[in-house]
Amino acid sequence: MTVHMTTAYTTTDSPLGELLLVGEESRDGVTLTSLSMPGQRNAPTVRSGWSRQPDRFTSVTRQLAAYFAGELTEFEVEFTPGGGTDFQRRVWSALEEIPYGTSTTYGELAERLGLPRERVQALGAAIGANPLLLVRPCHRVIGADGTMRGYAGGVERKVRLLTHEGVLQPTLL
């Protein structure tokens, strides 16, 4: 039996700009395949044939609103398995283990995954290819010296997210 899946999408406002949520729709619901923001590197764009289905993303948009209101620290979102290489999926799974309000370094994450030092650059590339910003918290990975290394959504947004989560102190201007 063939199950026909449609790509569904919606947008939602956030303090980081309008977020694009994309998912695969089946008769069982929608599973998230991508959460992106304006100006993000390699972000998907809405394609013809996609179906705008805001009601199908209500749970996700509520959780995002609660996160930005400071009322939610962990997302419970069903996302589509697959996508990416085996290596990327392994890295993405490790990202999901980084708790709210904390950060880790690229080197620490590589060590946790048992990767040799020369694979840290590949680790960074896998993190950068994460299609589920925010819900798979790649923003919690920083440089060993505390610097904000690349973030597909932009380093300024990474700083805002880490400040929101209490990892960084707000700067006074």
Side-chain angles (χ1 to χ4, degrees), residues 4-67:
H4 175 70
M5 291 199 304
T6 301
T7 300
Y9 77 95
T10 193
T11 56
T12 189
D13 289 330
S14 83
L16 303 176
E18 186 177 68
L19 304 177
L20 173 63
L21 288 73
V22 180
E24 292 299 325
E25 184 180 19
S26 70
R27 72 189 146 165
D28 297 329
V30 169
T31 56
L32 199 62
T33 58
S34 173
L35 192 160
S36 59
M37 50 189 73
Q40 175 184 327
R41 284 191 320 259
N42 302 316
T45 55
V46 176
R47 299 181 187 155
S48 64
W50 286 11
S51 175
R52 187 174 188 89
Q53 301 270 340
D55 294 347
R56 305 298 293 231
F57 293 93
T58 302
S59 173
V60 180
T61 56
R62 279 190 189 135
Q63 288 181 60
L64 288 166
Y67 168 81

Side-chain angles (χ1 to χ4, degrees), residues 20 53 84 89 97 103 113 116 121 125 141-142 163:
L20 173 63
Q53 301 270 340
R89 287 192 302 272
E97 303 301 317
S103 64
L113 289 166
Q121 191 171 6
V141 183
I142 62 174
T163 302

Side-chain angles (χ1 to χ4, degrees), residues 82-100:
T85 65
D86 288 342
F87 179 73
Q88 287 173 326
R89 287 192 302 272
R90 192 169 152 228
V91 170
W92 297 341
S93 180
L95 293 175
E96 294 166 17
E97 303 301 317
I98 306 169
Y100 179 95

Side-chain angles (χ1 to χ4, degrees), residues 63-150:
Q63 288 181 60
L64 288 166
Y67 168 81
F68 286 116
E71 301 163 356
L72 182 79
T73 61
E74 193 172 312
F75 292 98
E76 292 184 25
V77 174
E78 189 175 336
F79 35 86
T80 305
T85 65
D86 288 342
F87 179 73
Q88 287 173 326
R89 287 192 302 272
R90 192 169 152 228
V91 170
W92 297 341
S93 180
L95 293 175
E96 294 166 17
E97 303 301 317
I98 306 169
Y100 179 95
T102 68
S103 64
T104 192
T105 67
Y106 291 91
E108 290 167 347
L109 191 59
E111 189 175 306
R112 198 174 312 152
L113 289 166
L115 300 174
R117 188 151 182 77
E118 60 269 10
R119 296 284 298 176
V120 172
Q121 191 171 6
L123 173 89
I127 292 169
N130 171 22
L132 296 167
L133 297 191
L134 299 173
V135 296
R136 186 182 285 142
C138 53
H139 61 276
R140 296 179 187 152
V141 183
I142 62 174
D145 59 359
T147 56
M148 299 299 114
R149 302 295 164 109

